[in-house]
Amino acid sequence: NNTIITALAWGTYVNSNDVANGKDATITCKNTGTTLLASITSLFGHGEVQAVAATVTTNGDGGEVTLNVTSAELVGLTDEVAYMLRLYHTTKNVADNQVASYTFTVYKTNPTVSITGGAVIKNTTTHTLSGTGTNGATITLTSDAVVDDVAAGDDILGGTRLVDSNGDWTTGEVIFAEAAHTMTATVTDLAGNTATAQQSVTIDVSAPTMTITAKKVNTNGADLASGQTTNDATLFLTFTA
């Protein structure tokens, strides 16, 4: 029992991609030829909840070996519950035989995010974005057009907002350039799972223009110049916006 584990690199979280494809743990050790077993145990439960099928044979001084925990071994774990990956010598569940452990939390379900309202057309340069999302997750906002500023002085592009305990988030009042914008809200949970939502925001603060063209009924329907007078009682008026 002279195996010395100098590092067990696993990761604090297991995300939906790990659950679908499996996850590797890298073990750095200082001896040769010792076979280790592995299991996953509920941190606040009793006993082993998931045996890991693979065994790991350690190699030379300071070498690294890989333990692959498969999708089948992760899919049955409970979402948002803390577990411990344990490495053992040949006898499991004996405290003296445990040589390394790593605590992690499972996030099997992708977070959610929404932006309140559908497409927006406004005749002012300000707009407040808000929506809902998974509690405690981080919202990052991006745009395919320039967003000038936020009233609070905090540029939202590349910045983040946290979803509060009620499942809500907001940017406050945003100052937009006059243009069509597609705003994208990306939510990221602690394990790196993501989801997105979009909103179209069109800012149009320019006044519309319109021209009026008058034609006389007779005299071949010639156009009347602006300010010109006529004794014709009937005119054709054309409005162009």
Side-chain angles (χ1 to χ4, degrees):
N1 270 9
N2 61 345
T3 300
I4 300 174
I5 302 296
T6 58
L8 170 59
W10 168 257
T12 307
Y13 303 101
V14 167
N15 60 31
S16 59
N17 181 68
D18 299 329
V19 172
N21 299 295
K23 183 177 174 68
D24 288 339
T26 301
I27 303 161
T28 305
C29 47
K30 288 185 176 181
N31 88 326
T32 305
T34 301
T35 298
L36 301 177
L37 304 177
S39 68
I40 294 173
T41 304
S42 173
L43 194 59
F44 301 106
H46 301 282
E48 179 183 297
V49 296
Q50 178 65 62
V52 177
T55 59
V56 179
T57 301
T58 60
N59 56 12
D61 200 29
E64 291 184 352
V65 291
T66 299
L67 170 69
N68 177 254
V69 182
T70 68
S71 173
E73 293 161 343
L74 293 171
V75 71
L77 301 183
T78 304
D79 207 18
E80 297 187 37
V81 167
Y83 291 92
M84 182 173 287
L85 175 65
R86 299 173 183 268
L87 293 179
Y88 294 89
H89 288 295
T90 54
T91 304
K92 297 183 183 180
N93 298 326
V94 178
D96 291 342
N97 287 342
Q98 180 177 317
V99 295
S101 63
Y102 204 102
T103 301
F104 64 95
T105 304
V106 179
Y107 283 82
K108 297 195 297 183
T109 305
N110 287 337
T112 60
V113 63
S114 70
I115 301 178
T116 301
V120 175
I121 300 177
K122 302 193 71 173
N123 62 359
T124 64
T125 58
T126 59
H127 177 57
T128 298
L129 287 94
S130 61
T132 62
T134 300
N135 291 4
T138 300
I139 303 290
T140 302
L141 289 160
T142 55
S143 174
D144 62 356
V146 176
V147 177
D148 288 342
D149 195 9
V150 177
D154 179 13
D155 187 354
I156 67 169
L157 291 186
T160 59
R161 296 291 185 274
L162 285 177
V163 181
D164 65 23
S165 58
N166 295 318
D168 300 318
W169 62 270
T170 183
T171 62
E173 192 171 67
V174 182
I175 302 174
F176 285 88
E178 185 174 17
H181 306 257
T182 299
M183 299 302 301
T184 301
T186 301
V187 63
T188 306
D189 66 15
L190 293 173
N193 299 312
T194 62
T196 61
Q198 289 188 324
Q199 183 181 60
S200 171
V201 180
T202 301
I203 303 298
D204 182 4
V205 295
S206 299
T209 60
M210 184 173 66
T211 59
I212 302 174
T213 303
K215 292 180 180 293
K216 296 185 290 186
V217 175
N218 54 16
T219 318
N220 298 320
D223 290 347
L224 293 175
S226 178
Q228 184 179 348
T229 61
T230 180
N231 59 2
D232 288 337
T234 303
L235 299 174
F236 288 126
L237 299 178
T238 302
F239 299 87
T240 304

